Structures are given as C-alpha cells and as structure tokens.
Amino acid sequence: GPTRKMPLTASAMDFFQLFVPDNVLKNMVVQTNMYAKKYQERFGSDDAWVDVTLTEMKAFLGYMISTSIHHCESVLSIWSSGFYSNKSIALIMTQSRFEKILKYFHVVAFRSSQTTHSLYKIQPFLDSLQNGFDAAFRPSQAQVLHEPLIDEDPVFIATCTERELRKRKKRKFSLWVRQCSSTGFICQIYVHLKEGSGADGLDALKNKPQLHSMVAKSLCQNASGKNYIIFTGPSITSLNLFEEFEKQGIYCCGLLSTRKSDCTGLPPSMLNNSATPQSRGQYRIRMKGNMSLICWYNKGHFRFLTNAYSPVQQGVIIKRKSGEIPCPLAVEAFAAHLSYICKYDDKYSKYFISHKPNKTWQQVFWFAISIAINNAYILYKMSEAYHVTRYSRAQFGERLVKELLGLEDTSPTH
C-alpha cells in the first residue's frame, strides 16, 4: 500500500505530483525553451514563439491528458467545432500557441557526449518516475511481469479507414512492467527498443527467449532479497532464469509453453502429452530441489514451473459451468493473479493518452504519463480522500485536467 498518508483534502493534482512534481515540469520548461532557441538558430527565427512558462506547460499536459478521457484521436479536436470540441478548456490557450509548444516540446533537448542510450531524450524522466513509484508505494509479495495492453483505441480502429490504418507506423518499442497483482499498481517500467543497435537491441540478441530473460532481469533488479513471488507468462518462463532469481531471493511461478518458452534443462517426458486420455484435474509432477514442473490437464495440457509453491499443496479452479476442478496450489495462484491483471487491463487501458506522435521518445513519454496517472488513481482509491469524494477513474482524470489548466471549477462532469 501507500508509504505516506495523504490529507483528506488531497486533490488529483497532489496524487499526480507524487510522480511528476513541479521540479520535473520546470525542467521540461527549461529544455523546451533551450530546444526552441537552438532550433531557430539553425532554421531561422520564429517570430510567433515566446518562451513557455510553467503555467503553460501544465496546461499543455492537461490538454494531452484530456484525450485519455474523451478518446479524441487528435488533441487539436478540442478547438474544432466537431464532436470532440471542448469550449470550456479551449479558452485557456489558443490552438496556435498549443501547436507551437507541441513543435518544440522536449524533456532533454540535447545529447551529452557520454550518452549512448537511444532513449536519452526521456531517460531522466523515466528515472525520476521510477523513484516516485518506489517512494510512494510498497507492493505486495505477489507481482506479475507482463506487457500491459496499450493498443490503439478499439473504437477508432473499428471506424477508421484502411488508408488511415496504413498510415500509422508500428511501434518501434515494447513496454514491459512489473505490477503489484493485489492492487494493479505498476512498480517498474522497462522500455525495449526493437530496432536498437546497442547490446540490448534485438539484432544483438540471438532469439526472443534471450530478450525476454533480459527484460525480466531488468524489471527485477530492485527486487533482490525481498522474497517476492513473480508470476510470468510463457515468453519469460525458463528454468535458468528461475534458478538465477532464486539465488537473489526472488521466487517464481510461470506458465510454460513448448512453443514460446525456453525449455532448456527440463525433462522431455513432461513436455510431451501422454497418449492415454486424462480426466480434468489430473496432474503429474517432477521436482528438482525447490523447483517443480507441473503438467495439469483441463481440456488440454497446461505446464507450470515454480519454486514458490509446494506441488503437493492442493487448490481448486472454480468454473461457472463445471464447478470446482482440483489442481495444485501453484495453478490456482497463477490463475488468480493473472485474472486480476486482465481486469486491470480492461479497466485502465482505455485511459491511455490517445495522442500518437511519430517520434518514439514522445510515444514512450505519453505512455509513461498515462501509467503515472493510473498509479495516482490507485493511490487515491487507497487514501482517506477517496472516502470524502468518491471519483471514478474518468472523473479523476477530468479533475486532474482542470487542475492542470488552472480552472477554479474542479467538480467532475457526469
């Protein structure tokens, strides 16, 4: 849960600034003005440009965040006369001023001589965000490594033309998280560039299991010695990785796939389906030290690798139609924790910022801001302030937008 007690009067802005405080916003102001100055020295002066202020930067963020609530495809729709226009907030800043800030917006304006990381333009922001996550929240023992659902808005995909779809570039990165499976709070973010030429680029790695193993190690680098139980999907689950984690005091439970997982070191007899027909709930177990490989049957064979649960402990999977199906406790725990993450994706993925810039660093930045707002709402729901004014996620987002824009009326619209 939260590490600090927020006052009863805490606003949406107070929770958001646990992760994106004023000093981070002031740095964006400085870097944006520096970039605008250098850009004009190189390409000619821009008479319409005036240095951005902290108030304007907050308003700029507010406009972007508003697209996560109303799902307008272009943030410029706010100033239009169409369905997504919003006259109440459009008056705070003109469209031309917003477009100027958007043109020059930067988090890190220039590459330093020591920088080799491809995400150097937002790495300081990601580091600051990570420090905020660590300082504000203490996660539960059970956590999940996965890729959160950050796809395009399904309503837009269903209504846009093929030409618009073709124009959209595929993302050049994948975003992985370590997430508290009890609350949904995202504890750590890892961004992997698909076309990176460095040591962590896909072309420098031999195969996907090697890549996913590297992702898992990066996400768990701050988890050593805390006795966390990490749940993983088939792409990450492997014997070598789990044994390495166990030495660091991290325990695992993962779903295994003969097609997607690295099955090195596992007994082939457990990876092949038995010829004799099995009834639902039957399972076989092989053990090596603390590690257990479980092959469980339920309308198909499911394999689990774990050193976090005893394979002889019994559990049940409850199905709506067929009732209770017996299984090892590891299988029950895996199903419970991953079902929570599916619920999180269903509830929060629709509140990702809709603005889709072409530059990769900007795409990552807006995804990170979206995750910060979701985390802020989770902390708000666990605070006493929630019992005073019970805002839904949409109302919380609207309140945050109005506070960033400096509007006096912060009551949510229903």
Side-chain angles (χ1 to χ4, degrees):
T3 57
R4 67 187 79 177
K5 187 176 181 180
M6 298 293 281
L8 290 170
T9 54
S11 64
M13 187 75 164
D14 293 331
F15 286 97
F16 176 65
Q17 292 214 299
L18 291 173
F19 311 125
V20 188
D22 268 353
N23 65 317
V24 171
L25 297 176
K26 286 174 183 175
N27 181 63
M28 292 179 195
V29 170
V30 171
Q31 297 293 329
T32 298
N33 290 332
M34 282 173 57
Y35 181 79
K37 182 181 178 183
K38 286 290 183 182
Y39 184 94
Q40 291 173 52
E41 285 175 1
R42 185 174 178 184
F43 297 106
S45 62
D46 183 348
D47 295 334
W49 173 254
V50 179
D51 277 0
V52 69
T53 64
L54 178 61
T55 302
E56 286 182 314
M57 184 58 72
K58 287 182 178 180
F60 173 76
L61 287 179
Y63 284 125
M64 286 297 194
I65 292 166
S66 71
T67 67
S68 68
I69 306 155
H70 305 294
H71 305 295
C72 49
E73 182 49 31
S74 170
V75 66
L76 301 181
S77 303
I78 293 167
W79 291 274
S80 72
S81 56
F83 180 78
Y84 291 113
S85 64
N86 192 331
K87 301 300 180 192
S88 63
I89 66 173
L91 298 172
I92 303 298
M93 184 185 290
T94 64
Q95 180 178 339
S96 59
R97 178 58 176 165
F98 175 85
E99 289 183 280
K100 284 294 178 189
I101 298 173
L102 182 61
K103 177 181 178 180
Y104 296 122
F105 174 69
H106 267 71
V107 179
V108 174
F110 306 106
R111 185 196 291 263
S112 68
S113 55
Q114 296 86 19
T115 304
T116 56
H117 199 283
S118 304
L119 286 174
Y120 75 93
K121 288 202 169 187
I122 56 161
Q123 195 58 53
F125 172 75
L126 293 178
D127 293 342
S128 169
L129 204 61
Q130 185 59 56
N131 291 336
F133 291 169
D134 291 342
F137 185 80
R138 186 173 57 253
S140 64
Q141 184 183 30
Q143 295 165 39
V144 180
L145 304 186
H146 73 120
E147 288 183 274
L149 193 65
I150 53 174
D151 292 331
E152 305 285 4
D153 178 32
V155 176
F156 171 73
I157 291 297
T159 56
C160 72
T161 63
E162 286 186 25
R163 185 167 175 270
E164 286 174 317
L165 276 176
R166 281 198 303 271
K167 278 170 65 180
R168 315 205 126 231
K169 294 180 180 177
K170 288 187 176 179
R171 283 204 309 269
K172 295 180 181 178
F173 65 94
S174 57
L175 182 72
W176 293 77
V177 299
R178 176 164 58 86
Q179 189 168 11
C180 169
S181 62
S182 300
T183 60
F185 189 95
I186 289 178
C187 308
Q188 195 159 350
I189 301 172
Y190 178 80
V191 180
H192 174 73
L193 294 177
K194 293 177 181 177
E195 298 177 6
S197 56
D200 61 346
L202 192 55
D203 50 357
L205 298 167
K206 293 177 183 176
N207 49 37
K208 279 194 172 180
Q210 188 182 0
L211 163 67
H212 293 147
S213 175
M214 181 200 73
V215 169
K217 290 173 187 175
S218 299
L219 284 171
C220 294
Q221 58 189 358
N222 299 329
S224 297
K226 296 179 180 177
N227 289 323
Y228 288 154
I229 298 175
I230 304 294
F231 292 88
T232 62
S235 59
I236 292 178
T237 304
S238 78
L239 179 63
N240 291 336
L241 179 67
F242 283 14
E243 286 179 337
E244 191 173 329
F245 274 168
E246 188 175 359
K247 292 173 184 174
Q248 300 172 29
I250 303 170
Y251 300 91
C252 305
C253 180
L255 182 63
L256 199 67
S257 164
T258 51
R259 191 167 51 91
K260 295 181 181 178
S261 305
D262 178 6
C263 297
T264 307
L266 298 174
S269 61
M270 291 291 285
L271 303 177
N272 299 323
N273 296 336
S274 59
T276 56
Q278 290 183 287
S279 59
R280 295 176 75 178
Q282 282 191 320
Y283 56 90
R284 295 178 291 148
I285 298 168
R286 286 286 295 274
M287 293 184 68
K288 178 187 175 184
N290 292 331
M291 200 71 65
S292 307
L293 176 56
I294 302 165
C295 182
W296 177 68
Y297 184 81
N298 178 27
K299 289 187 177 179
H301 290 87
F302 294 88
R303 295 171 178 84
F304 297 86
L305 190 66
T306 182
N307 57 1
Y309 296 92
S310 166
V312 297
Q313 281 187 284
Q314 292 294 308
V316 288
I317 298 286
I318 300 173
K319 295 287 184 181
R320 206 173 292 168
K321 292 181 180 179
S322 49
E324 294 185 352
I325 304 167
C327 66
L329 184 62
V331 178
E332 180 188 339
F334 184 90
H337 290 293
L338 253 69
S339 69
Y340 186 92
I341 298 306
C342 290
K343 289 176 186 173
Y344 173 91
D345 281 345
D346 291 342
K347 183 174 181 180
Y348 291 105
S349 64
K350 60 186 175 187
Y351 294 111
F352 277 80
I353 291 169
S354 298
H355 176 67
K356 298 291 187 293
N358 287 327
K359 293 179 180 175
T360 299
W361 73 264
Q362 290 183 1
Q363 292 174 19
V364 174
F365 176 79
W366 296 118
F367 281 134
I369 287 285
S370 301
I371 288 172
I373 299 169
N374 285 340
N375 276 355
Y377 180 68
I378 289 167
L379 289 187
Y380 160 71
K381 282 198 74 174
M382 288 190 283
S383 74
E384 292 180 1
Y386 178 69
H387 300 291
V388 178
T389 51
R390 289 174 175 262
Y391 292 114
S392 66
R393 173 61 182 83
Q395 290 170 338
F396 183 85
E398 288 180 348
R399 187 177 174 86
L400 176 61
V401 168
K402 289 185 176 181
E403 289 171 13
L404 282 165
L405 290 166
L407 293 170
E408 289 181 3
D409 176 25
T410 54
S411 61
T413 55
H414 294 277

